[in-house]
Structure formats: C-alpha cells, structure tokens
C-alpha cells in the first residue's frame, strides 16, 4: 500500500508537469495555481499524509486480522510511554509534511522566477535581433553604396548570431541580388560582388551546418563572377542572367540547383560539377573539360545561339553531358581538344534536337573513336572540318541513329551506325 501511495504521488506530480504550457518563446508559463496561499498547499499535503497513514494503518489491521485492543487499565507505565513516543512521532511526521510543503513552494517560486528571467532575456534578445535586423535592412536600402556595404556586413553578422532566423537574413541578402542592377553603377556592382563573397565564404565555413535555401531567381551576375555557392539545400537560379564574365557553373552539391530559363551570354562558361538546365539560353564559349567532369549535365529544351561548344580532355566522361530537345543555331562543336577516345564510350549525346548552319570540328586525326552521338535529330546546313589525311587512319567519328540530314554531308570515314535519313543533301 505504501508503494501504491508513492506511485499515486508521482502520478499527481506528472500530471501537473504535463499541464504546464509553453509560451511563444518556448518557455513555460507561470501558472496561476502556483500563487495560491501556502495554507492551501499545506492542507493538501496534510490531507494526503492522513490518507496515506490511514490506508497504511488499515492495511496493517487487515493483515493482522483486525485484533481487539486491551482495556485502558491493562496499560502500564511502559506501554503509555511507548504510545506517547508513537504520538510524538506522528506529530513530527506531520511537521515534516508541513516543512516539505513549504520547501516545495520555495522551489516552485524559484523555478517561476527563473522562468520569468528566461522569458525576459528571450524577449530582450528577440527585441535586440529585431532592432538589428531593421537597421541592417534599412542600410541595404540606402542610396549610398558605402551605407549599403555596411548593411551587408551588419546583416551577415546578425545571421551569425540569430541562428533561429538565419534563413530570413539570407533571404534578404539574396533579395538584394535579385533587385534590378543599376546600369553603369560601379559602387553598386562592388556591393553585389561583396554580397556574393560573403555568402560564398560563410556557406563554406560558419554556416556549413545550416540547411539554407538560396533564391537568386532573376539575379544578374557580371564582372568575372565565379559562382561557387555551397548550400546544403536548394539553390534557385531560374531566369538568372550570366554575362560579361567568366563563369564556373556547378556548386559542389549541384543536384539541388535549378537553372530553368537562365541566360548565359558571358565570354566563357565552364561546366564542372553538374547541373540541370531547362529552357536555358546560351551564347559565347561553353567549355566541357572531360577530365574535370564529375557529375551529370543535362540540357533540356535549351537554345544555343552562335555558341562555341568545346569538348576537351581524355573524353571518357563526355557521356555525362546530354542534350535533349535543344536547338543549336550557327554553333561550333569543337572536338579538337579531345586527346583520347574509345569506340562506343564517352561520347557527347544529343537527342531530339535541331542543329542549323553550324560546324563540327573533328580535326586531330591521331585520335580515333566516337566523339558524338546524334539520335532522332535534324541537321540542316551543317559543315564538318576534318583532317585531309583521316582517310588513311581512324579519326574522330559521329554516331547517327534516326537522324535527318538537310543540305548536310558527313564524310563517310567519320560516320558510324548510320541509319537511313531523308534526302536533300546527305
């Protein structure tokens, strides 16, 4: 019975703990019943003590078969003293119950004060963060570039401290990059470069453990920007514009990057760590160094206009680059930098696409093997540059599968897997 009583006390305490609610800051609220007069608490514990004592006594009497007590004349001095000791022990126990109730009330008051102090600190800290956020955001919107630069570092510093809302700070920095760039405004360009540098450095170091998303939709990148933002979550570059500089495309976790509708018109774009491009547009020089390709590049429904597509290196990973449903207008495919090829492996793959008025450079006759596969595509007005001595030795070849040739002729020595195609110049 004593064990049952103890379990009952623990259950009551557990129910009370479950009743504690938490406020918006995650701190437990101070409940009104904690401030009731201590007399009520003492009486509650006294009642509980009497209940436990009564239950224990009844259990003992039941175990002893409810024996009958002797008459009062049968008690001698020794028995009276023993009964007196028992009475004093009971009184002492009741005093202990009162002391326990008082100490528990003191403990609860101390806990309440601690919770109130925590809540106050949390509110003060939140107020401080909000004030810093407002100040930094105001600086980023200032007309003076120096003030905007100060706002950038203030917002980055706030993101370092305000872990719970770090994503909001990053969203503000990304939002600055999404704003229309000020034409011929060199100070603004420097601020944008600094924003990218701050994001790049912190994502690789201080913010590495944070799962942050970067939304750079519609942003414009210029002036030798090297894009290496290593976020652990999504990086959205939809409808972004890359121009006037050298761009290295493919962060370390490029599987989370979206380039839908992006435009690349810089002098040179290098592809390294993989990416998915849907409806993107390309001009300029596009370099695929097969020795540095580690992940897949997939181009779907993209448009290439007057672009030079360079494929170089050993060529063993060229198959990681695929084009589907793309359009190539007046483009040059430069395979002259390929130094090693194997038949049937490592070939650039183009399917369901249209190639018009472009050139395919297959020179470098000392290297033999398949350089490019064309499947279910159309070649219109395409020309091919080959070494004049390639007829005497194996050279770089193109695989054809369901290809339509219009005003296009491919030297037989450079074709493999040729299927019948439409007439009109093949």
């Amino acid at each position: 019975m004593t064990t049952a009583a103890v379990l009952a006390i623990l259950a009551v305490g557990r129910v009370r703990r479950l009743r504690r609610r938490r406020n918006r800051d995650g701190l437990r609220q101070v409940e009104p019943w904690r401030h009731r007069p201590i007399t009520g608490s003492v009486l509650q514990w006294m009642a509980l003590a009497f209940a436990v004592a009564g239950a224990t006594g009844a259990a003992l009497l039941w175990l002893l078969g409810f024996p009958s007590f002797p008459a009062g004349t049968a008690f001698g001095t020794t028995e009276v003293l023993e009964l007196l000791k028992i009475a004093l022990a009971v009184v002492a126990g009741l005093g202990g119950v009162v002391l326990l109730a008082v100490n528990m009330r003191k403990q609860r008051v101390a806990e309440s004060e601690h919770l109130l102090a925590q809540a106050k600190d949390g509110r003060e800290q939140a107020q401080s963060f909000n004030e810093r956020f407002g100040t930094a955001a105001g600086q980023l919107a200032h007309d003076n570039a120096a003030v905007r630069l100060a706002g950038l570092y203030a917002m980055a510093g706030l993101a370092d401290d305000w872990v719970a809302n770090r994503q909001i700070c990053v969203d503000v920095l990304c939002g600055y990059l999404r704003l229309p760039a000020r034409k011929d405004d060199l100070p603004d360009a420097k601020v944008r470069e600094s924003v990218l540098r701050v994001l790049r450095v912190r994502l690789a170091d201080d913010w590495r453990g944070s799962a942050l998303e970067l939304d750079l939709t519609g942003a414009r990148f210029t002036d030798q920007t090297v894009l290496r933002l290593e976020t652990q979550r999504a990086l959205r570059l939809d409808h972004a514009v890359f121009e006037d500089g050298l761009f290295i495309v493919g962060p370390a976790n490029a599987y989370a990057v979206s380039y839908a509708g992006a435009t690349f018109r810089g002098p040179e774009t290098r592809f390294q760590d993989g990416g998915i491009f849907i409806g993107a547009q390309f001009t300029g020089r596009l370099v695929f160094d097969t020795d540095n390709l580690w992940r897949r590049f997939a181009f779907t429904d993209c448009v290439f206009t007057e672009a030079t597509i360079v494929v170089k290196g050993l060529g063993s990973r060229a198959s990681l680059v695929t084009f589907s449903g793309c359009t190539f207008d007046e483009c040059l495919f430069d395979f002259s930098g390929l130094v090693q090829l194997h038949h049937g492996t490592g070939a650039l793959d183009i399917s369901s696409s249209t190639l018009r008025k472009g050139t395919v450079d297959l020179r470098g006759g000392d290297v033999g093997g398949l350089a490019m596969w064309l499947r279910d595509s159309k070649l219109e007005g395409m020309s091919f540059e080959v070494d004049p001595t390639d007829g005497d030795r194996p050279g770089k070849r193109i695989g054809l599968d369901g290809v339509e040739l219009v005003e296009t002729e491919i030297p037989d020595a450079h074709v493999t897997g040729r299927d019948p195609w439409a007439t009109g110049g093949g």
Side-chain angles (χ1 to χ4, degrees):
M1 292 297 294
T2 302
T3 303
V6 173
L7 292 176
I9 295 174
L10 294 177
V12 171
R14 179 61 177 169
V15 170
R16 287 181 174 179
R17 284 194 295 272
L18 290 175
R19 288 174 54 194
R20 296 175 185 172
R21 298 170 296 177
R22 294 180 179 271
N23 59 20
R24 291 181 300 176
D25 298 325
L27 301 176
R28 290 180 300 188
Q29 293 180 339
V30 181
E31 300 175 3
W33 62 268
R34 290 177 178 270
H35 298 286
R36 293 173 183 172
I38 193 171
T39 304
S41 179
V42 171
L43 291 176
Q44 287 180 358
W45 283 102
M46 290 288 286
L48 182 60
F50 278 120
V52 172
T56 304
L60 289 175
L61 290 175
W62 179 75
L63 290 174
L64 296 175
F66 295 100
S68 59
F69 291 95
T73 56
F75 288 93
T77 304
T78 303
E79 288 77 8
V80 172
L81 290 175
E82 290 298 329
L83 290 175
L84 186 58
K85 289 180 181 179
I86 294 174
L88 292 175
V90 171
V91 173
L94 294 177
V97 170
V98 174
L99 181 61
L100 176 62
V102 173
N103 288 335
M104 289 190 66
R105 174 53 63 93
K106 290 181 179 179
Q107 177 64 26
R108 289 172 178 172
V109 170
E111 289 179 358
S112 298
E113 292 177 349
H114 177 66
L115 292 176
L116 288 173
Q118 280 187 318
K120 182 180 178 181
D121 291 342
R123 287 192 296 270
E124 291 178 351
Q125 187 178 56
Q127 182 179 1
S128 174
F129 284 151
N130 287 324
E131 291 175 353
R132 290 173 60 185
F133 180 84
T135 301
Q139 290 176 323
L140 283 171
H142 201 274
D143 290 336
N144 188 290
V147 178
R148 295 199 299 275
L149 191 62
L152 157 65
Y153 289 106
M155 187 65 72
L158 176 59
D160 293 338
D161 301 333
W162 202 4
V163 179
N165 286 317
R166 179 173 292 168
Q167 180 66 63
I168 296 177
C169 300
V170 172
D171 289 342
V172 172
L173 295 179
C174 292
Y176 184 87
L177 293 175
R178 293 199 304 270
L179 293 174
R182 308 183 185 193
K183 189 175 181 180
D184 300 328
D185 189 342
L186 182 58
D188 180 65
K190 294 299 182 183
V191 174
R192 291 173 180 271
E193 290 179 8
S194 299
V195 172
L196 275 174
R197 183 172 59 254
V198 166
L199 289 174
R200 186 166 57 249
V201 171
R202 278 175 163 77
L203 286 170
D205 189 8
D206 297 341
W207 301 347
R208 180 180 292 274
S210 300
L212 300 173
E213 293 186 2
L214 303 182
D215 186 359
L216 296 174
T217 300
R220 187 178 298 270
F221 302 94
T222 59
D223 298 332
Q224 303 299 319
T225 302
V226 180
L227 187 59
R228 305 292 291 177
L229 299 176
E230 299 182 8
T231 177
Q232 296 178 359
R233 296 186 67 183
L235 171 58
R236 285 187 288 272
L237 292 166
D238 301 341
H239 304 287
V241 178
F242 303 84
E243 59 184 359
D244 300 336
L246 167 67
F247 301 96
I248 300 179
V249 178
N253 59 344
Y255 61 87
V257 183
S258 171
Y259 297 96
T263 299
F264 292 82
R265 51 176 179 240
E268 182 171 324
T269 303
R270 300 176 186 174
F271 300 85
Q272 292 185 355
D273 293 321
I276 306 299
F277 300 82
I278 301 175
Q281 301 183 29
F282 297 86
T283 58
R285 180 180 171 90
L286 313 177
V287 179
F288 297 91
D289 187 346
T290 58
D291 295 339
N292 292 322
L293 289 178
W294 302 106
R295 297 183 182 177
R296 178 171 174 257
F297 281 99
F299 300 85
T300 303
D301 299 329
C302 296
V303 177
F304 299 81
T305 305
E306 298 181 357
T308 300
I309 301 171
V310 179
V311 184
K312 63 180 183 178
L314 296 177
S316 59
R317 300 193 186 99
S319 59
L320 293 175
V321 184
T322 60
F323 302 87
S324 176
C326 297
T327 301
F328 301 86
D329 286 324
E330 302 182 37
C331 294
L332 167 64
F333 291 86
D334 185 358
F335 294 100
S336 61
L338 284 175
V339 298
Q340 182 177 335
L341 284 170
H342 300 282
H343 180 74
T345 62
L348 201 70
D349 192 287
I350 300 178
S351 63
S352 304
S353 299
T354 301
L355 291 72
R356 289 193 291 260
K357 299 180 181 180
T359 302
V360 179
D361 188 349
L362 297 175
R363 289 176 295 181
D366 292 337
V367 179
L370 192 61
M372 179 170 63
W373 262 113
L374 289 169
R375 311 173 192 272
D376 301 319
S377 298
K378 180 179 180 180
L379 276 64
E380 182 178 350
M382 295 291 294
S383 61
F384 294 80
E385 295 184 0
V386 298
D387 288 329
T389 58
D390 279 354
D392 301 330
R393 55 187 175 181
K396 298 170 184 175
R397 297 189 297 277
I398 295 177
L400 302 179
D401 183 4
V403 174
E404 178 184 358
L405 300 183
V406 178
E407 299 180 0
T408 299
E409 183 175 355
I410 307 176
D412 289 339
H414 295 270
V415 175
T416 183
R418 183 193 294 266
D419 279 357
W421 55 75
T423 59

